[in-house]
Amino acid sequence: ETGVTQTPRHLVMGMTNKKSLKCEQHLGHNAMYWYKQSAKKPLELMFVYNFKEQTENNSVPSRFSPECPNSSHLFLHLHTLQPEDSALYLCASSQNPARSETQYFGPGTRLLVL
Amino acid sequence: LAKTTQPISMDSYEGQEVNITCSHNNIATNDYITWYQQFPSQGPRFIIQGYKTKVTNEVASLFIPADRKSSTLSLPRVSLSDTAVYYCLVGDMSGANNLFFGTGTRLTVIP
């Protein structure tokens, strides 16, 4: 058990839809992350939050909008996505935001944009 | 920032020991070396972390030479369920900027 849950596990949406991905961690961690993993590509770090404050935004298009209301919950709001945004979206948490910190990943949301 | 290089893929038969080497020539003094395992359609899972010499846990061993410019993940007696992608990460405690998993090594265990 990783202690990180994500919903939904699968999502199909049209390019004009608005949807949200949810992540919750039950580990008491301070840092949370969103990653994107496209088919046969490396994990791409999208956003990092530390104590609810965004500390990293790796040039992610504005059609992806993160929200972190508290250190246990993280959302990724999606709107007017493109087919190339279809991917596995992974949430992770760690005690603190550092490259050497062990990250605990959720099961991911498999997103398909039509 | 230390860049890592790993073999793209490896094959091994069941029951064999597998060693996956990661090169990190520019590793900094404060950097730790961390390995993750990822199964298809799942998030990566932490395997082991080390700073120098040897670290062993119930899953794997990590060998780090004195110059720390490389590290080797050793999986004893692999089974089919060890088929996965293995990632090597290098970094310190200063922050999560430029956190980069790379392409990893795809290990296929053959019956």
Side-chain angles (χ1 to χ4, degrees):
Chain A
E1 294 296 326
T2 62
V4 180
T5 58
Q6 290 186 243
T7 55
R9 294 294 310 277
H10 302 273
L11 178 63
V12 180
M13 60 186 289
M15 290 189 284
T16 58
N17 292 158
K18 290 184 180 181
K19 296 287 184 182
S20 296
L21 309 185
K22 179 182 176 182
C23 175
E24 184 174 359
Q25 59 99 357
H26 313 274
L27 301 168
H29 289 164
N30 299 317
M32 296 189 77
Y33 311 76
W34 278 118
Y35 288 87
K36 173 185 177 183
Q37 189 170 37
S38 304
K40 298 187 179 180
K41 286 188 176 181
L43 280 161
E44 300 173 51
L45 180 64
M46 300 174 73
F47 303 104
V48 180
Y49 276 82
N50 181 31
F51 288 106
K52 305 186 300 178
E53 299 298 321
Q54 185 175 311
T55 60
E56 291 289 323
N57 176 342
N58 285 345
S59 303
V60 180
S62 59
R63 57 186 184 269
F64 296 91
S65 175
E67 178 190 0
C68 189
N70 55 62
S71 56
S72 297
H73 294 84
L74 186 64
F75 295 89
L76 188 62
H77 304 299
L78 316 171
H79 63 97
T80 59
L81 294 192
Q82 305 298 312
E84 59 264 30
D85 297 322
S86 298
L88 180 67
Y89 288 84
L90 291 159
C91 173
S93 72
S94 65
Q95 188 61 52
N96 294 299
R99 292 190 297 276
S100 61
E101 283 280 345
T102 300
Q103 292 189 47
Y104 295 83
F105 284 80
T109 295
R110 175 72 61 186
L111 173 67
L112 177 62
V113 181
L114 300 176
Chain B
L1 193 68
K3 178 183 175 182
T4 60
T5 304
Q6 303 175 233
I8 297 294
S9 64
M10 295 179 68
D11 293 337
S12 176
Y13 288 102
E14 273 191 294
Q16 289 188 329
E17 178 184 77
V18 171
N19 295 311
I20 305 174
T21 297
C22 178
S23 297
H24 28 80
N25 292 317
N26 297 323
I27 190 168
T29 303
N30 295 328
D31 285 344
Y32 285 78
I33 301 155
T34 311
W35 285 81
Y36 288 83
Q37 173 192 57
Q38 186 181 24
F39 298 114
S41 297
Q42 294 186 27
R45 184 184 71 157
F46 170 84
I47 300 176
I48 197 166
Q49 185 182 69
Y51 181 79
K52 62 180 180 179
T53 63
K54 176 184 174 182
V55 180
T56 297
N57 61 22
E58 64 277 6
V59 176
S61 294
L62 180 58
F63 298 93
I64 306 168
D67 65 6
R68 303 200 327 122
K69 293 183 183 298
S70 66
S71 58
T72 299
L73 174 72
S74 180
L75 305 172
R77 300 181 59 79
V78 293
S79 63
L80 295 178
S81 62
D82 293 317
T83 294
V85 178
Y86 293 82
Y87 297 96
C88 162
L89 274 74
V90 171
D92 61 17
M93 295 292 292
S94 65
N97 56 302
N98 296 312
L99 213 167
F100 182 65
F101 271 77
T103 55
T105 298
R106 182 174 299 276
L107 172 66
T108 302
V109 180
I110 306 164

